[in-house]
Structure formats: structure tokens, C-alpha cells
Amino acid sequence: MQDILVVVDMQNDFIDGALGTKEAVAIVPKVEEKIRNFKGTVFFTRDTHETWYLDTQEGKKLPVPHCIRDTDGWQIRSELDKLRKTEPIDKETFGSTDLADELVALNIDDEISSITFVGLCTDICVISNALLIKAALPEVPIIVDAACCAGVTPESHETALKAMKACQINVVE
């Protein structure tokens, strides 16, 4: 049995770059502490867009170039990246089916006792991945550490936490 921590999109553009917020900046030390103290395997996701981002469906609805591959904004925040022991899982959209596939395979080989999510943004990528993994592994407890997450706004953060609770995801503070 093993515990898994998924660090979602803790990238420069979401922290203090193109789409950064003061709430995102504030969780960086908490996420760093969570990673340092976690007894289990830690995965990182990385929002990844190409130079033609603005031509995509997402880019048309959110016309702010961000997390463009190989830019500084795409990089995982340096103090967190230096703690990384696995390759980041690049994802081109909110939820990562690659992450789901990897966790399902891992659960077959070495049963997962829990999966905890932290990161950005609570109301977009954290909720998308938590629900995707809940659907893929319905018997594995899914946890979201709200103190280590931030949303686009404080209100949308709270709305996402309520939605995840309604879907039997354990939200802890």
C-alpha cells in the first residue's frame, strides 16, 4: 500500500506570471512543506501549451498565452521542482488522462491507499483531475488539501471545494 501526492500545475505562469494571483503565491511554502513531509510517491502535472495556444478552443475562451512549452512560465516553481523525483506529466488540457492511466497501472502493481491533490487552480485543473481520478479509481480515497490549493478567485476556490465534497472527495484544510 502506498500514498500518492499529486502536485497540480505549480508553474510560474499560474503563481506570479501571466495568470498569477496573490493566493497562488501564498500557497507555495505550504505546498513545499507538504512535498517535503509526504511519505509516498509525488507526481507533478504541468500545464503545457504550444505557440499556437490562442488558436485552440481553450485559447479562444481564455486569450492569455500561458504555460507555453519551454518558456519560464511553463517551468515548475524552482523551490518545488528541486524536490521532484519523477518526470512531470505534461497535459494539454485541464484533466490528465495520462495521469489517470499511470495511477490505474500503479494501483494494479502496488495498491494505492490514498491520492492527495494540491496545487492550481482549484476550480479548473485540481477539480478536473480529482474527479477524473475518482472516476478511474472509485475505491481509492481521494483527498484535496484546500490549504495547499488556490483558485482563480477565492470564491471559485470555495465553489470547487463544495463540488468536490459533493462527489465524495475528502476535502481537508
Side-chain angles (χ1 to χ4, degrees):
M1 299 286 284
Q2 67 173 311
D3 293 319
I4 303 292
L5 175 64
V6 179
V7 180
V8 178
D9 299 354
M10 288 297 294
Q11 296 163 264
N12 294 325
D13 270 349
F14 290 129
I15 296 170
D16 56 10
L19 294 171
T21 65
K22 67 182 191 296
E23 293 83 11
V25 171
I27 69 165
V28 172
K30 296 173 189 174
V31 172
E32 182 178 6
E33 181 181 356
K34 184 86 171 185
I35 295 166
R36 286 187 187 282
N37 295 328
F38 194 76
K39 306 290 186 234
T41 303
V42 181
F43 289 96
F44 286 75
T45 67
R46 184 168 53 190
D47 196 47
T48 302
H49 300 296
E50 305 302 335
T51 55
W52 58 86
Y53 168 76
L54 292 177
D55 295 327
T56 67
Q57 184 172 304
E58 178 185 332
K60 290 175 182 162
K61 293 182 186 238
L62 178 64
V64 179
H66 65 280
C67 300
I68 305 297
R69 186 185 303 277
D70 297 326
T71 64
D72 183 60
W74 176 70
Q75 302 299 326
I76 294 169
R77 182 66 163 232
S78 61
E79 59 264 46
L80 305 178
D81 195 47
K82 69 183 179 190
L83 301 174
R84 190 172 50 77
K85 295 178 181 160
T86 60
E87 280 303 307
I89 297 171
D90 291 339
K91 57 185 194 57
E92 60 188 42
T93 189
F94 306 143
S96 174
T97 55
D98 290 341
L99 173 65
D101 292 345
E102 194 155 337
L103 291 173
V104 167
L106 189 60
N107 193 52
I108 292 167
D109 295 336
D110 183 13
E111 194 171 341
I112 297 172
S113 48
S114 71
I115 301 169
T116 300
F117 286 88
V118 300
L120 303 168
C121 293
T122 318
D123 46 333
I124 302 173
C125 293
V126 173
I127 191 172
S128 295
N129 284 286
L131 290 170
L132 183 64
I133 302 308
K134 181 68 176 171
L137 294 167
E139 293 303 314
V140 175
I142 307 297
I143 303 161
V144 171
D145 186 337
C148 292
C149 293
V152 173
T153 67
E155 296 79 19
S156 61
H157 167 80
E158 289 301 324
T159 299
L161 295 175
K162 288 177 186 170
M164 288 186 279
K165 285 179 188 175
C167 293
Q168 301 180 358
I169 291 171
N170 301 315
V171 175
V172 298
E173 300 281 335

